[in-house]
Amino acid sequence: MSAADLSHRFQGESVGRALELVGERWTLLILREAFFGVQRFGQLARNLNIPRPTLSTRLRMLVEAGLLDRVPYSQDPERHEYRLTDAGRELFGAIVVLMHWGDRHLPLPDGPPIVLRHNQCGEIAEPRLVCAHCEQEITARNVTPEAGPGFRD
């Protein structure tokens, strides 16, 4: 099947399904905070300046979707914190790429508000997407979309 055959929308498309879950602004910002170690409701509310009912709804959805775990940390009063699951941690690359894109194409006058230092080499990380087989960079110009096993006409 050629790339042209995939130009139409089809049921179950992966990007659309992912965006149904994490495509809302607050959801991605909550995940960003979780990647940076914020786990408690009050701290999330303060850091994001998000309405508390909105935060409650988004956290409940992220727990139900399996991206965060709700874990008790106090019995009296009963309080919980939110920890990334393995599935949630796998979204790190998407958040970092969005952050990098924003810093590059929507820059602030004084530069990026947050940079990520790579622990292995000590340098500021520059994210890029690479092929797991050959370790070459993947770009929109060097890949060809083709029907996968879940493709339905």
Side-chain angles (χ1 to χ4, degrees):
M1 180 163 278
S2 73
D5 295 330
L6 298 176
S7 62
H8 66 287
R9 305 283 294 162
F10 50 91
Q11 186 174 8
E13 185 266 327
S14 301
V15 173
R17 285 184 295 116
L19 287 174
E20 283 293 319
L21 179 61
V22 298
E24 189 274 330
R25 175 182 188 261
W26 288 120
T27 302
L28 286 175
L29 293 175
I30 291 166
L31 289 170
R32 180 203 63 200
E33 290 298 301
F35 288 127
F36 294 155
V38 179
Q39 297 180 327
R40 297 193 176 166
F41 185 93
Q43 190 65 47
L44 286 164
R46 280 188 299 280
N47 287 7
L48 296 171
N49 197 25
I50 182 176
R52 288 178 174 264
T54 303
L55 178 57
S56 291
T57 300
R58 296 306 183 278
L59 286 171
R60 190 175 314 110
M61 181 271 303
L62 288 166
V63 169
E64 288 171 4
L67 300 179
L68 292 176
D69 282 329
R70 185 173 182 252
V71 179
Y73 72 87
S74 172
Q75 298 297 341
D76 188 29
E78 185 177 358
R79 299 205 189 268
H80 297 86
E81 61 188 18
Y82 298 87
R83 297 181 188 162
L84 288 162
T85 63
D86 289 341
R89 276 188 290 280
E90 285 186 31
L91 284 167
F92 180 74
I95 299 286
V96 169
V97 168
L98 280 172
M99 187 175 103
H100 182 71
W101 185 91
D103 291 342
R104 187 172 183 163
H105 296 284
L106 305 168
L108 294 176
D110 295 331
I114 297 170
V115 295
L116 303 175
R117 187 161 309 278
H118 188 225
N119 294 338
Q120 306 316 96
C121 69
E123 297 295 324
I124 300 301
E126 292 268 341
R128 71 178 199 168
L129 190 60
V130 298
C131 175
H133 301 285
C134 68
E135 298 185 3
Q136 295 297 307
E137 187 170 17
I138 296 172
T139 70
R141 292 186 174 149
N142 68 10
V143 296
T144 303
E146 59 186 46
F151 182 82
R152 302 280 186 267
D153 282 323

